[in-house]
């Protein structure tokens, strides 16, 4: 991850690469690099942090005349954001940039190391270039070697690769991660991960499909499909609106991020969801030695993920779990015992309250773990161990895909701990993993679903309040649904355990009290249903979300038929996110930057 550019032509290659990377900044990154092949010689520069650092490093580097170049902005997933880990990665005569995750990198790396290859970085990407050179030695034909390489690697990728012996050829491949080729009337060829770097440079683009690969020379674009059959390159005119291009056609970043959930959850699972076990390369299982309790601490949406985790941990890992709102934990003189694993959850890794609790836990000598989306963030640097959620940058202030990946990590972590504690059989774990693999398809937003919610939203723009209700793990989801709605619609919304409504809140029930009822078929359905009936009997307006039709509801959103309550959880998560989005849009609010809120709260 996270952004790629490439160029073949006679203009100033360095400038084209750097300005292309600048246009990809919106995708988030923690380091960047370029490589230029000119007259058979590679020049490469990398820098950690903002692009200005790379610009400074390359200020005396000039490219005139024909050259080919590749560039990359990196959002760390395997290995820290260091210069060594920044792309491009080099072998002896070739270099590569890559977005995505190579699932079988550890296996390939071991084999290559046995053959005597030395690795310089901790990345999964570096295996691509070494594997290519190994194949190149065996075949003596670079394209054949490249074709074999993409068969050898499994996972998600957009790849650009250049090799010295072919100084007019850029090899490319796409599987799961976006990659475009742009052209113009002066016969230049551009590559990028999205439209934005190509705007102003290219007139037409082709959006590569999964499985596509090939090579580009100054005079040719050779494109092959996943079966190796050569295919025609179909170009379409490139839109010239940059902001729209950054949002990839969506109205708001939040909407784009809701739609991205399927892909980022796949990234989160990649290399971790094994056949019948969960693998976290980044964890040493001794972290859990002597642990009798897990304490989870976070703020906002991350707190709701923590609360969800507490249900999974106790149910599957059979470990006592408690949760804390970070701002409360800080000042209540908590008792901290060394048999407790202290886990903080944070999208940004910078939230002041959460960071402070991590410092407290460290000072008390507890083992610590952070679940985070940003490598090298303060929390990742401080905690004993970290698991990255791999959601990519989240721009919408209202968190969506970060939450989805946090839940995915927690579900996996509950299985990982269950294995250590022997609390689930191998069959049970394998069946969970099977279900986990279905999550990406269950969070895909269908046109019908989005349309339905768009239409429904017009009935929920007023009223004196919303209650999102659910039981068990659907209670934290209800809290999250309510938080989403209040954050961006400014309407009053509360999340409540469905069974608790009768102990007070039901007094509010009337037709302008809107109840959003989460009714999973596979978890306490009858119990939750009777709680909703109590509200319906008091004339509250009910919007039920379920796979079972519910005749006491005023509105009903049907999720797809599935066999596990966690799949229902993920589907309902998308429904409540879309509902908030559509209500907010109808109310004319700034969806991505709601009033009074900040993406990352680094002050107390
Ligand atoms: C802020 C954001 C929330 C977020 C919370 C915790 O309040 O507006 O969306 O959930 O911080 O952020 P973190 O980065 O620690 O997950």
């Amino acid at each position: 991850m996270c952004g790629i550019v490439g160029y073949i032509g006679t203009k100033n290659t360095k400038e084209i690469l750097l300005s292309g990377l600048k246009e990809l900044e919106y995708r988030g990154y923690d380091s960047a690099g370029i490589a230029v092949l000119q007259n058979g010689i590679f020049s490469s520069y990398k820098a950690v942090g903002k692009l200005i650092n790379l610009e400074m490093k390359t200020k005396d580097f000039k490219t005139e005349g024909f050259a080919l170049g590749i560039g990359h902005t990196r959002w760390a997933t395997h290995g820290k954001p260091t210069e060594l880990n920044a792309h491009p990665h080099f072998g002896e005569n070739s270099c590569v940039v890559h977005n995505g995750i190579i699932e079988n990198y550890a296996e390939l790396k071991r084999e290559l190391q046995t053959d005597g290859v030395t690795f310089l970085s901790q990345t999964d990407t570096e295996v691509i270039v070494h594997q290519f050179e190994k194949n190149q030695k065996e075949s003596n034909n670079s394209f054949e070697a490249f074709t074999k390489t993409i068969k050898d690697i499994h996972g998600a990728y957009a790849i650009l690769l250049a090799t010295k012996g072919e100084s007019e050829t850029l090899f490319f491949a796409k599987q799961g991660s976006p990659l475009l080729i742009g052209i113009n009337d002066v016969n230049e060829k551009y590559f990028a991960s999205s439209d934005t770097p190509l705007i102003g440079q290219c007139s037409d683009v082709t959006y590569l499909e999964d499985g596509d690969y090939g090579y580009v020379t100054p005079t040719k674009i050779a494109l092959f499909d996943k079966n190796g059959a050569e295919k025609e390159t179909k170009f379409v005119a490139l839109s010239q609106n940059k902001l729209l291009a950054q949002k990839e056609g969506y109205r708001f970043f939040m909407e784009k991020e809701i739609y991205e959930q399927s892909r980022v959850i796949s990234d989160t699972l990649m290399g971790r969801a094994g056949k019948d076990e969960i693998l976290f390369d980044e964890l040493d299982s001794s972290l859990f030695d002597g642990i009798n309790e897990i304490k989870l601490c976070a703020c906002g949406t991350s707190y709701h993920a923590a609360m969800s985790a507490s249900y999974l941990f106790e149910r599957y890992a059979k470990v006592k779990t408690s949760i804390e709102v970070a701002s409360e934990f800080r000042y209540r003189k908590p008792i901290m015992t060394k048999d407790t694993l202290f886990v903080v959850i944070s999208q940004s890794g910078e939230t002041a309250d959460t960071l402070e609790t991590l410092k407290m836990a460290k000072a008390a000598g507890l083992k610590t773990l952070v679940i985070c989306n940003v490598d090298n963030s303060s929390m990742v640097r401080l905690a004993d161990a970290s698991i990255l959620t791999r959601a990519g940058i989240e721009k919408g202030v209202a968190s969506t895909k970060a939450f989805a990946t946090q839940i995915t990590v927690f579900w996996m972590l509950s299985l990982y701990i269950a294995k250590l504690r022997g609390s689930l059989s191998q069959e049970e774990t394998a069946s969970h993993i099977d279900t986990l693999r279905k999550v990406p398809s269950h969070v895909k937003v269908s046109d019908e679903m989005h349309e339905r919610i768009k239409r429904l939203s017009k009935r929920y723009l007023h009223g004196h309040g919303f209650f999102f209700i659910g039981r068990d793990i659907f209670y934290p989801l209800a809290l999250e649904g309510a938080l989403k709605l209040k954050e961006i619609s400014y309407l009053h919304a509360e999340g409540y355990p469905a069974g608790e409504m009768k102990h007070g809140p039901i007094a509010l029930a009337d037709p302008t009290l809107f109840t959003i009822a989460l009714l999973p078929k596979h978890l306490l359905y009858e119990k939750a249903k009777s709680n909703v009936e109590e509200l319906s009997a008091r004339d509250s307006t009910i919007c039920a979300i379920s796979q079972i039709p519910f005749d006491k509801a005023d509105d009903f959103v049907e999720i797809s038929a599935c066999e596990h309550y966690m799949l229902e959880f993920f589907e309902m998560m998308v429904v409540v996110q879309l509902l908030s989005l559509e209500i907010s849009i109808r109310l004319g609010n700034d969806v991505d930057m709601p009033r009074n809120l900040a993406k990352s709260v680094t002050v107390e």
Side-chain angles (χ1 to χ4, degrees):
M1 302 193 193
C2 182
I4 282 185
V5 292
Y7 174 72
I8 291 195
T10 51
K11 281 201 193 132
N12 188 334
T13 306
K14 176 189 93 174
E15 288 307 326
I16 287 175
L17 295 177
L18 289 179
S19 67
L21 292 179
K22 194 130 201 77
E23 295 298 340
L24 291 174
E25 273 194 308
Y26 76 95
R27 296 165 75 94
Y29 66 105
D30 44 46
S31 53
I34 58 167
V36 174
L37 179 58
Q38 193 168 32
N39 306 324
I41 297 169
F42 272 121
S43 311
S44 177
Y45 299 85
K46 304 180 187 191
V48 171
K50 292 288 155 202
L51 274 175
I52 181 78
N53 301 338
L54 185 62
E55 282 164 12
M56 294 306 290
K57 280 198 159 185
T58 54
K59 85 176 173 325
D60 299 324
F61 170 53
K62 306 252 179 300
T63 47
E64 275 157 21
F66 177 82
L68 65 82
I70 55 180
H72 187 265
T73 47
R74 172 170 188 257
W75 176 279
T77 53
H78 289 87
K80 300 266 156 228
T82 59
E83 227 170 83
L84 268 185
N85 285 336
H87 302 208
H89 289 287
F90 277 81
E92 285 169 21
N93 303 305
S94 320
C95 73
V96 70
V97 291
H98 159 232
N99 274 352
I101 294 167
I102 303 302
E103 202 167 358
N104 59 337
Y105 87 99
E107 202 179 310
L108 292 173
K109 188 170 175 174
R110 265 194 304 275
E111 285 168 17
L112 288 160
Q113 281 171 326
T114 315
D115 295 347
V117 175
T118 311
F119 279 76
L120 296 177
S121 76
Q122 302 159 304
T123 64
D124 52 337
T125 299
E126 199 184 337
V127 299
I128 303 171
V129 68
H130 294 306
Q131 188 72 17
F132 167 74
E133 292 193 340
K134 177 180 167 180
N135 294 333
Q136 205 180 26
K137 278 178 197 141
E138 283 164 13
S139 87
N140 273 325
N141 174 317
S142 299
F143 183 54
E144 215 173 86
F146 183 72
T147 308
K148 172 142 191 345
T149 306
I150 54 175
K151 288 203 178 95
D152 294 339
I153 57 175
H154 305 149
Y157 48 79
I159 293 170
L160 294 181
L161 184 143
T163 188
K164 263 190 196 165
E166 314 259 353
S167 57
E168 297 204 342
T169 309
L170 205 44
F171 299 97
F172 64 88
K174 185 233 183 279
Q175 175 66 46
S177 300
L179 189 61
L180 287 65
I181 307 177
I183 51 166
N184 56 23
D185 53 11
V186 290
N187 217 13
E188 297 169 300
K189 316 265 182 327
Y190 289 73
F191 286 90
S193 314
S194 75
D195 288 349
T196 46
L198 308 184
I199 293 175
Q201 313 281 3
C202 300
S203 53
D204 295 88
V205 286
T206 182
Y207 298 87
L208 295 176
E209 288 171 17
D210 280 345
D212 283 356
Y213 68 100
Y215 61 90
V216 161
T217 69
T219 51
K220 184 174 179 186
I221 298 176
L223 177 64
F224 298 82
D225 70 13
K226 58 177 184 294
N227 303 315
E230 188 151 11
K231 67 186 224 187
E232 198 192 328
T233 320
K234 291 195 183 107
F235 283 95
V236 292
L238 175 66
S239 133
Q240 301 292 319
N241 181 330
K242 272 191 190 166
L243 190 61
L244 207 68
Q246 288 189 353
K247 292 181 187 160
E248 288 167 18
Y250 295 102
R251 296 165 293 173
F252 295 94
F253 280 110
M254 182 188 176
E255 184 177 35
K256 170 174 170 272
E257 286 158 5
I258 292 172
Y259 274 74
E260 268 172 8
Q261 291 181 121
S262 175
R263 182 177 56 75
V264 296
I265 290 175
S266 299
D267 287 348
T268 308
L269 292 172
M270 210 170 273
R272 290 166 168 170
K275 207 163 136 272
D276 49 17
E277 65 174 333
I278 295 293
L279 309 153
F280 280 115
D281 285 349
E282 54 275 74
L283 291 188
D284 188 332
S285 61
S286 66
L287 185 71
F288 299 90
D289 289 352
I291 294 300
N292 293 315
E293 182 181 346
I294 295 180
K295 188 171 279 297
L296 302 154
C297 205
C299 301
T301 291
S302 296
Y303 174 72
H304 297 152
M307 190 187 271
S308 310
S310 70
Y311 289 87
L312 299 169
F313 285 0
E314 295 212 336
R315 182 163 292 143
Y316 301 130
K318 302 276 180 256
V319 57
K320 187 172 162 210
T321 308
S322 56
I323 47 168
E324 301 273 355
V325 167
S327 55
E328 281 299 304
F329 187 75
R330 283 180 72 168
Y331 295 108
R332 68 168 187 74
K333 306 273 174 275
I335 294 169
M336 291 191 262
T337 52
K338 292 198 176 143
D339 62 347
T340 301
L341 175 67
F342 194 82
V343 183
V344 286
I345 307 94
S346 175
Q347 187 282 131
S348 60
E350 303 297 344
T351 303
D353 284 324
T354 313
L355 182 59
E356 194 51 38
T357 66
L358 179 59
K359 288 181 186 159
M360 286 164 68
K362 291 229 43 148
L366 270 60
K367 290 192 199 174
T368 56
L369 167 68
V370 58
I371 313 298
C372 192
N373 195 32
V374 183
D375 201 356
N376 227 29
S377 56
S378 302
M379 287 182 220
V380 170
R381 288 198 309 267
L382 195 61
D384 298 327
S386 56
I387 300 179
L388 295 179
T389 47
R390 303 179 182 165
I393 193 169
E394 193 177 58
K395 293 207 120 183
V397 166
S399 183
T400 51
K401 63 175 180 168
F403 178 74
T405 54
Q406 286 169 340
I407 300 290
T408 308
V409 165
F410 278 132
W411 187 0
M412 287 194 283
L413 192 57
S414 72
L415 305 178
Y416 179 91
I417 306 171
K419 181 168 185 207
L420 297 177
R421 298 171 74 91
S423 55
L424 282 184
S425 68
Q426 199 156 329
E427 294 70 44
E428 286 169 316
T429 307
S431 146
H432 271 282
I433 295 176
D434 240 30
T435 317
L436 260 164
R437 289 185 187 282
K438 293 181 185 152
V439 175
S441 65
H442 281 271
V443 295
K444 270 206 178 111
V445 183
S446 69
D447 289 350
E448 300 73 47
M449 175 63 86
H450 200 156
E451 233 357 89
R452 164 113 189 87
I453 293 172
K454 212 179 263 176
R455 255 185 296 122
L456 204 72
S457 62
K458 64 174 173 287
R459 300 217 278 274
Y460 293 91
L461 306 174
H462 60 293
H464 63 83
F466 286 76
F467 271 85
F468 285 69
I469 61 169
R471 297 186 80 128
D472 200 278
I473 196 170
F474 291 83
Y475 164 43
L477 182 59
L479 287 171
E480 177 57 11
L483 180 66
K484 284 293 86 65
L485 187 65
K486 64 186 145 207
E487 280 178 322
I488 59 174
S489 74
Y490 319 141
L491 294 169
H492 179 76
E494 279 189 64
Y496 233 78
E500 187 65 12
M501 290 299 285
K502 58 184 167 298
H503 298 294
I506 203 164
L508 294 167
D510 71 15
T512 56
L513 178 82
F514 300 138
T515 301
I516 312 295
L518 309 179
L519 290 174
K521 178 180 174 189
H522 298 297
L523 199 66
L524 300 172
Y525 178 77
E526 290 302 330
K527 298 271 175 217
K529 186 172 151 237
S530 59
N531 300 142
V532 183
E533 278 164 355
E534 288 154 14
L535 281 154
S536 165
R538 273 113 191 138
D539 229 8
S540 167
T541 297
I542 314 276
C543 174
I545 310 171
S546 183
Q547 53 174 309
I548 305 178
F550 183 57
D551 58 7
K552 303 264 178 0
D554 301 83
D555 285 311
F556 178 65
V557 179
E558 188 173 5
I559 58 165
S560 65
C562 54
E563 70 287 357
H564 197 285
Y565 73 88
M566 283 306 287
L567 296 178
E568 296 181 290
F569 180 98
F570 278 101
E571 285 217 13
M572 290 185 194
M573 174 195 77
V574 175
V575 173
V576 296
Q577 291 168 342
L578 287 173
L579 186 63
S580 302
L581 173 83
E582 291 304 333
I583 290 175
S584 172
I585 294 174
R586 280 187 189 274
L587 293 172
N589 299 342
D590 185 341
V591 171
D592 287 332
M593 272 188 277
R595 70 184 186 202
N596 307 338
L597 299 180
K599 184 73 193 153
S600 175
V601 184
T602 53
V603 291
E604 193 177 343

